[in-house]
Amino acid sequence: MSTKTGVETVDPVREERAGKVREVGSQAIWSLSSCKPGFGVDQLRDDCMDTYWQSDGQLPHLVNIQFRRKTTVHDICIFTDYKLDESYTPSRISIRAGTNFNDLQEVEVIDLNEPTGWVLIPIKDIHEKPIRTFMIQIAVISNHQNGRDTHMRQIKIHSPMECRGIGIEESGNFVTVECQQYSCIR
């Protein structure tokens, strides 16, 4: 487990289009520790930055993401907007992983300082490889200005794209014109 303060800001859609990762959140069952009516999982996953999940209760606030099969998780992207949400914006987040609620282990703790936009949280094991897990839990430990409830506008879970083909480079270098004309597919 490590604590990070300088969290990277990215555009997760660009990463998906580039073929580096794929969004796997739609393959999971999502649940929340609490929510105000009309501000739940549907708003958290609707790809609209104007809607949000709003918790309703005591800290920590939990987002539980359970996969049907063991899934490789490369990173988690969370969209927050301090300018709009102020004291509702998370300032400390814990990421936990495991097979179920009973064996969750903390894998990352992130401190956020007035975040606006997408925050990318890499999820890696002790060997610096993406983790394989059945369950991810995102716990909001504290909010800015000691706020009680929290707002999260979007969450995306990314899995790395696996390359299954054989690269042409592995076959050797094509040096003749006759061979080079077949070195790529158009």
Side-chain angles (χ1 to χ4, degrees):
M1 186 220 36
S2 63
T3 302
K4 292 184 179 173
T5 54
V7 182
E8 190 178 344
T9 303
V10 297
D11 178 7
V13 176
R14 186 171 36 110
E15 300 289 311
E16 291 172 34
R17 280 194 209 120
K20 295 178 183 176
V21 295
R22 64 186 175 97
E23 211 284 327
V24 294
S26 59
Q27 300 171 7
I29 298 166
W30 292 66
S31 63
L32 304 168
S33 57
S34 66
C35 68
K36 298 256 187 208
F39 297 92
V41 173
D42 291 341
Q43 289 71 32
L44 190 59
R45 297 285 299 155
D46 65 2
D47 284 328
C48 178
M49 305 315 163
D50 297 326
T51 61
Y52 51 85
W53 160 54
Q54 181 174 335
S55 63
D56 186 19
Q58 298 296 315
L59 288 166
H61 303 299
L62 307 174
V63 178
N64 302 302
I65 306 149
Q66 294 176 282
F67 296 98
R68 290 181 172 88
R69 62 178 57 121
K70 204 169 198 178
T71 303
T72 303
V73 177
H74 180 268
D75 61 55
I76 298 172
C77 292
I78 300 173
F79 190 88
T80 59
D81 193 337
Y82 179 79
K83 292 174 186 164
L84 291 175
D85 299 328
E86 295 179 347
S87 68
Y88 291 93
T89 307
S91 62
R92 188 172 185 93
I93 295 174
S94 168
I95 308 292
R96 303 159 184 170
T99 56
N100 58 52
F101 286 97
N102 299 319
D103 71 351
L104 293 173
Q105 299 278 325
E106 194 168 69
V107 293
E108 204 67 62
V109 176
I110 287 73
D111 291 317
L112 302 172
N113 185 18
E114 300 182 5
T116 298
W118 287 104
V119 175
L120 179 120
I121 306 165
I123 307 297
K124 296 181 180 172
D125 63 12
I126 58 172
H127 304 293
E128 294 295 310
K129 295 190 177 196
I131 63 168
R132 291 190 40 79
T133 187
F134 281 102
M135 182 172 180
I136 294 280
Q137 184 178 75
I138 302 169
V140 177
I141 307 300
S142 64
N143 290 319
H144 284 78
Q145 303 169 9
N146 294 320
R148 182 177 151 213
D149 288 329
T150 196
H151 285 182
M152 279 195 202
R153 294 185 172 265
Q154 294 294 302
I155 298 177
K156 292 187 178 286
I157 309 294
H158 289 134
S159 185
M161 292 295 284
E162 296 176 14
C163 182
R164 297 192 179 184
I166 298 173
I168 201 77
E169 306 84 30
E170 297 170 17
S171 303
N173 293 331
F174 294 103
V175 291
T176 65
V177 174
E178 291 82 15
C179 287
Q180 284 181 349
Q181 69 183 351
Y182 300 109
S183 66
C184 66
I185 299 172
R186 293 184 214 186

